[in-house]
Amino acid sequence: MRRLLHPLSFLLLAGCLRVPPSVGPDGAPGAPDAGPSAPEPLAIRALTVRDRGGAEWPTEGAPRWPVLALVFSEPLFVERDETPPLGLFAGPADDDLIDDLSAAPLRIATRERQVPAAISVEGATWTIRPDAPLAPGARVTVAVGTWAEAAARGQRLAEPWTAEVVVSDAPEAGARVTDTWPADGAAAVAPAIAELAVRFDGPVEGVADGIALLDGDRPVEASVEAAPCPALGFDGGWCARLVPGAALARGAPHRLVIAETVRDATGAPVGPFEARFTTATEPDREPPRLSAGACALDEAELPIGCLFTDDASFTLRFRASEPVRAELTVAGRTLRAVAPRGEARLGTDGLPSDEALDAVLRVTDAAGRESARALTIRTTPPLAAVSLVEVRADPNGPEPRQEYVEVLNWGAVTVDLHGFSLSDRVDREGDRLEGPAALAPGQRALLVADGFDPEDPADPPVPPGVPLIRLGRSIAGGGLSNAGEPLYLRDPEGHRISASPGVPAPDEGACLVRVGDRMRAGDAAAFEGRPCTPGTADR
């Protein structure tokens, strides 16, 4: 039993007694006695977000490893074995979470959303400390259930309480290790490796004393210092360089170790972390070799790789015979990449159309041996300004009939889509658009199957003025995959003019929607899950 009688019970019993009316000085009945004022309900007074150094942050831009303090109007009472009345949950508060906070225990689905964290109590303040850093841009919910009970008066929350916290994606909000050279798990690393490197995605302190190289459990003599990332082959970030004092032992396991003493800008530890690699049994005497591999339908096959170009950008893909750091100089720019498996992709945009650009590609292996190749990159003449802007792979209505791909003419002239093609394969043309299909500037059209119903009640209706371009029994060879598949829109000459990424459908009835002004891009950063708005701009 919790208690035989709560102190508040005396107030409740007193409320059952009949109190005589007050009497005035002349014996006449006076004004009724208002009695004691009703106690204030249990409430949350404040939510504060601090970093490990004690600095306060806004809830809409929290550090990656936050300390969340929730202040109640008075201390709470909690049974030893009772579900804590508050917690941290992944994602924003939705109806299911709020409904489940009305009574303990939490449902399994809700418990699966809980972010592992330590909870401590001091008076009326409850503090939540996640067990690990949160991802940049993550949204989490601090939530309090209605079984939160005041210790002194027994009152409970009238309804669930939630507050959303958004983790900042600024580098100053925290740091983690993103890359190492050699990469974790690498084998046959040259014993004569010239330098090792660590890249962080935010500023850090303490690298000189907090990073070490071990041969088994034995420290390896090496100098450690902060260094510019470009000098180590990384295109941006915060980096540290380790230079061994001598060649490493052959055929031996090694560990690149980062201690907890390495701290980010918020005072949170970046370690412990380690990357393991094994050295080769023989010295590396050959420079890396380059090859193209399989090229896409709209890529040019070069001796050193596959080159994709449009009227403002290019992407060079290549495969090296061993792990390398790559550097490409072109049009006054230097592009860098680290290829731990030998495969790399380098590219840029903002280039002039229909122009030949001289470039030089250099790749360097762990032993410092370099291969360099000169090449010419030619951008195409101006292409049609038509892009894939919305993909519905998982409609509420029947599949694949109610799937669609929306295109937009974002240019200044009308484009006839006759002869264009849509494909889910880099090596095939796919569905060719037949018949005249003029798309005016700013106009949208839907690429659909023959049986598509624009007025199917299960999904948002398509405005009657939006053209439907029917491609056959289904879109892209059997319909669009809910698990995600890339799509490529090509003009009649075979130039890729737009693409969408192969990421899973966001939810049933939702769409993958292009965001921002990157109309040519086909990477996942240019798209996000949103409600479908067929034929219209995202409202």
Side-chain angles (χ1 to χ4, degrees):
M1 295 294 291
R2 182 182 301 180
R3 288 183 288 267
L4 292 178
L5 191 63
H6 195 285
L8 186 60
S9 302
F10 293 109
L11 296 177
L12 298 176
L13 290 173
C16 297
L17 301 178
R18 185 172 183 271
V19 180
S22 60
V23 180
D26 57 357
D33 187 1
S37 60
E40 293 186 4
L42 179 65
I44 289 89
R45 298 297 190 203
L47 170 65
T48 59
V49 180
R50 298 184 184 275
D51 60 27
R52 292 305 179 99
E56 189 167 344
W57 291 64
T59 56
E60 65 274 12
R64 296 189 197 177
W65 209 337
V67 178
L68 309 166
L70 201 59
V71 182
F72 290 84
S73 55
E74 54 188 294
L76 303 184
F77 176 87
V78 179
E79 289 280 14
R80 181 181 298 273
D81 298 326
E82 190 177 64
T83 301
L86 78 164
L88 189 62
F89 299 86
D94 53 21
D95 292 342
D96 289 339
L97 175 60
I98 293 174
D99 178 66
D100 205 18
L101 292 170
S102 297
L106 298 172
R107 291 191 293 258
I108 293 177
T110 302
R111 292 202 301 269
E112 289 176 346
R113 289 182 56 181
Q114 279 192 291
V115 177
I119 298 177
S120 59
V121 183
E122 184 175 351
T125 301
W126 288 59
T127 302
I128 305 174
R129 293 178 173 85
D131 292 349
L134 305 177
R139 294 176 180 270
V140 294
T141 297
V142 182
V144 184
T146 56
W147 61 95
E149 179 182 339
R153 300 180 296 118
Q155 283 198 332
R156 294 191 173 192
L157 285 181
E159 58 185 6
W161 183 93
T162 62
E164 185 174 280
V165 175
V166 181
V167 181
S168 171
D169 57 5
E172 293 76 21
R176 63 184 177 89
V177 178
T178 61
D179 303 276
T180 62
W181 176 261
D184 186 26
V189 174
I193 184 170
E195 60 186 7
L196 297 85
V198 182
R199 180 187 181 276
F200 306 89
D201 62 356
V204 295
E205 297 179 350
V207 296
D209 298 321
I211 302 180
L213 178 62
L214 304 179
D215 177 354
D217 292 326
R218 300 186 303 274
V220 174
E221 181 183 353
S223 62
V224 184
E225 62 179 358
C229 289
L232 301 175
F234 298 104
D235 197 8
W238 286 259
C239 291
R241 172 194 284 122
L242 292 83
V243 179
L248 305 183
R250 298 184 183 183
H254 289 73
R255 292 184 293 149
L256 186 58
V257 177
I258 299 175
E260 291 187 4
T261 54
V262 178
R263 302 272 170 162
D264 64 24
T266 72
V270 178
F273 171 91
E274 67 176 41
R276 297 171 178 264
F277 65 92
T278 304
T279 50
T281 56
E282 298 294 334
D284 183 2
R285 295 187 174 90
E286 296 291 331
R289 300 182 303 277
L290 300 177
S291 62
C295 295
L297 185 67
D298 43 25
E299 290 179 321
E301 183 173 344
L302 307 178
I304 62 171
C306 300
L307 178 64
F308 167 79
T309 58
D310 59 24
D311 55 1
S313 68
F314 77 87
T315 301
L316 175 67
R317 298 188 299 114
F318 65 86
R319 181 182 300 165
S321 57
E322 58 183 308
V324 295
R325 292 180 285 183
E327 181 178 279
L328 180 69
T329 56
V330 59
R333 309 179 192 185
T334 301
L335 312 174
R336 299 178 179 87
V338 174
R341 295 184 176 91
E343 298 175 345
R345 182 187 300 262
L346 292 165
T348 189
D349 55 12
L351 301 173
S353 63
D354 199 15
E355 186 164 323
L357 306 170
D358 293 329
V360 176
L361 174 66
R362 292 182 174 85
V363 295
T364 308
D365 63 17
R369 299 185 180 276
E370 179 184 287
S371 290
R373 297 293 295 270
L375 65 153
T376 299
I377 298 172
R378 175 175 285 279
T379 54
T380 70
L383 301 176
V386 178
S387 288
L388 307 177
V389 293
E390 187 165 296
V391 179
R392 186 168 76 190
D394 190 8
N396 291 320
E399 299 181 50
R401 191 191 77 186
Q402 292 304 115
E403 299 171 348
Y404 69 74
V405 176
E406 183 175 320
V407 296
L408 166 69
N409 180 354
W410 50 273
V413 298
T414 297
V415 178
D416 186 356
L417 297 181
H418 175 74
F420 281 61
S421 62
L422 179 72
S423 177
D424 58 0
R425 296 277 299 270
V426 296
D427 57 349
R428 292 186 182 178
E429 181 184 69
D431 299 323
R432 182 172 281 269
L433 282 60
E434 303 295 346
L439 205 61
Q443 189 176 21
R444 298 166 184 261
L446 300 187
L447 311 183
V448 300
D450 289 345
F452 180 83
D453 181 1
E455 299 180 358
D456 189 304
D459 289 295
V462 181
V466 176
L468 303 179
I469 302 175
R470 300 187 184 271
L471 302 180
R473 297 181 60 184
S474 62
I475 305 174
L480 304 177
S481 170
N482 294 347
E485 59 184 352
L487 295 173
Y488 307 96
L489 182 67
R490 300 185 176 99
D491 68 12
E493 287 72 43
H495 296 121
R496 186 193 310 172
I497 61 171
S498 185
S500 64
V503 297
D507 201 358
E508 184 177 6
C511 281
L512 199 62
V513 179
R514 183 180 294 276
V515 294
D517 56 1
R518 300 172 60 197
M519 286 297 179
R520 296 287 191 209
D523 57 271
F527 287 79
E528 65 181 37
R530 291 189 177 182
C532 297
T533 57
T536 62
D538 187 17
R539 298 189 183 100

